[in-house]
């Protein structure tokens, strides 16, 4: 099954690469500065078809086109994570696909594909995580040598001040901070040891479901700000890192635990 899913995701990545340079501004969705392009919809439609052929009994929980059906076994899909990057031709976008058990709130298979870099991040529960077939692991860096990724929750700016306050605290004690504009890429990079920690006040399940399993199978930790498991049905805050960095970020984010899911 994993090989078939990887093949489907790689094929969908070709749709993104067809765009060359996207010339539109996207179509506005619900939320502040939230957009979708025809490429998001095309990738999702292609994945919905191919994944249904792989596992017909699984429901499809995707970001676009109102294709959000919750079932015990379900695919969680973000066709283009980093749509704003895609619109601006930044080449920092990825496809995310997870196979999950919603009743157990558990992801069993995870694939993130960056078509621009031709990098395929894969994890199976209990079996490990790989980047283009090579085993990957989170870093063992201490916090003062860590690169910390973060997201700004751009579609809901009610927590903007709190986000920037936490970014400042995270920056002061770390080596530096990074903001890619794609949570999928940030989480995949953390699993590969390129980043050492990541946080965002609020993300959707299709933003973090895949990356969380990658991180866990690579030896890291991924939870909400309060330490509880990430929710595969509803939005969650996200706090991740290698064990040492996660522990420090948990201390820094403690004042904000009551503000977020």
């Amino acid at each position: 099954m994993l090989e078939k899913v990887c093949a489907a995701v790689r094929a969908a990545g070709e749709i993104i690469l067809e765009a060359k340079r996207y010339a539109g501004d996207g179509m506005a969705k619900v939320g502040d500065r939230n957009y979708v392009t025809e490429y998001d919809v095309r990738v999702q439609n292609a994945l919905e078809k191919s994944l249904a052929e792989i596992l017909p009994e699984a429901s499809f929980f995707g970001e676009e086109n109102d294709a959000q059906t919750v079932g015990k076994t379900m695919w969680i899909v973000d066709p283009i994570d980093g749509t704003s990057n895609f619109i601006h031709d930044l080449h920092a976008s990825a496809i995310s696909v997870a196979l999950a058990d919603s009743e157990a709130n558990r992801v069993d298979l995870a694939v993130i594909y960056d078509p621009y870099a031709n990098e395929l991040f894969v994890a199976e529960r209990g079996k490990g995580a790989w980047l283009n077939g090579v085993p990957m692991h989170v870093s063992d860096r201490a916090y003062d040598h860590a690169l910390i990724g973060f997201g700004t929750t751009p579609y809901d700016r009610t927590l903007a001040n709190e986000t920037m306050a936490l970014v400042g605290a995270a920056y002061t004690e770390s080596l530096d901070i990074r903001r890619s504009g794609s949570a999928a890429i940030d989480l995949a990079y953390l699993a590969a040891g390129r980043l050492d920690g990541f946080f965002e006040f609020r993300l959707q399940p299709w933003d973090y479901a895949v990356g969380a399993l990658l991180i866990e199978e690579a030896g890291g930790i991924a939870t909400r700000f309060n330490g509880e498991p990430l929710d595969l049905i509803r939005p969650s805050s996200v706090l991740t890192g290698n064990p040492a960095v996660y522990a420090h970020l948990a201390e820094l984010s403690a004042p904000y635990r009551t503000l977020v899911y």
Side-chain angles (χ1 to χ4, degrees):
M1 179 185 293
L2 179 58
E3 291 181 0
K4 292 179 179 179
V5 173
C6 290
V9 171
R10 283 187 179 276
E14 292 299 316
I15 298 174
I16 295 175
L17 296 178
E18 285 176 13
K20 304 296 183 184
R21 179 177 174 85
Y22 183 70
D25 291 326
M27 301 168 283
K29 301 193 298 183
V30 174
D32 186 15
R33 299 168 178 86
N34 194 9
Y35 294 93
V36 59
T37 72
E38 61 268 31
Y39 286 91
D40 295 78
V41 176
R42 284 179 59 195
V43 171
Q44 177 157 299
N45 289 343
L47 287 171
E48 188 170 8
K49 181 177 183 296
S50 58
L51 294 175
E53 293 172 354
I54 295 170
L55 196 65
E57 64 270 28
S59 62
F60 191 87
F61 191 73
E63 180 180 9
E64 312 299 351
N65 219 19
D66 298 321
Q68 297 172 13
T69 303
V70 176
K72 181 184 186 305
T73 302
M74 65 179 185
W75 299 105
I76 303 177
V77 174
D78 192 341
I80 302 181
D81 186 82
T83 297
S84 295
N85 288 346
F86 176 75
I87 291 172
H88 287 80
D89 198 36
L90 284 177
H91 289 197
S93 306
I95 299 171
S96 297
V97 174
L99 181 62
D101 182 328
S102 65
E103 294 181 3
N105 196 46
R106 184 187 73 232
V107 174
D108 293 316
L109 183 152
V111 177
I112 289 176
Y113 181 52
D114 176 354
Y116 299 109
N118 192 27
E119 289 190 325
L120 188 72
F121 303 83
V122 174
E124 284 190 272
R125 180 164 296 279
K127 296 183 179 181
W130 305 268
L131 167 54
N132 286 350
V134 178
M136 63 179 180
H137 307 278
V138 298
S139 73
D140 58 1
R141 297 184 188 94
Y143 194 86
D144 58 346
H145 290 94
L147 284 180
I148 307 299
F150 69 97
T152 54
T153 314
Y155 312 134
D156 178 1
R157 305 197 177 197
T158 59
L159 293 170
N161 291 337
E162 291 81 359
T163 294
M164 295 307 163
L166 183 52
V167 168
Y171 169 69
T172 299
E173 300 181 35
S174 68
L175 176 64
D176 208 341
I177 57 174
R178 294 290 184 269
R179 163 78 168 136
S180 76
S182 167
I185 289 177
D186 288 336
L187 297 177
Y189 281 9
L190 199 156
R194 298 172 180 173
L195 291 176
D196 309 292
F198 174 87
F199 65 86
E200 187 154 0
F201 273 72
R202 188 167 301 150
L203 283 170
Q204 296 289 343
W206 46 77
D207 294 317
Y208 55 71
V210 181
L213 182 62
L214 290 173
I215 291 166
E216 291 168 0
E217 289 297 318
I221 303 171
T223 70
R224 304 185 211 180
F225 276 26
N226 62 8
E228 294 181 0
L230 295 166
D231 195 315
L232 298 182
I233 305 301
R234 288 167 289 276
S236 291
S237 55
V238 177
L239 186 72
T240 73
N242 71 35
V245 170
Y246 172 87
H248 195 74
L249 285 176
E251 294 179 6
L252 294 178
S253 62
Y256 308 102
R257 290 175 185 170
T258 60
L259 298 177
V260 294
Y261 298 115

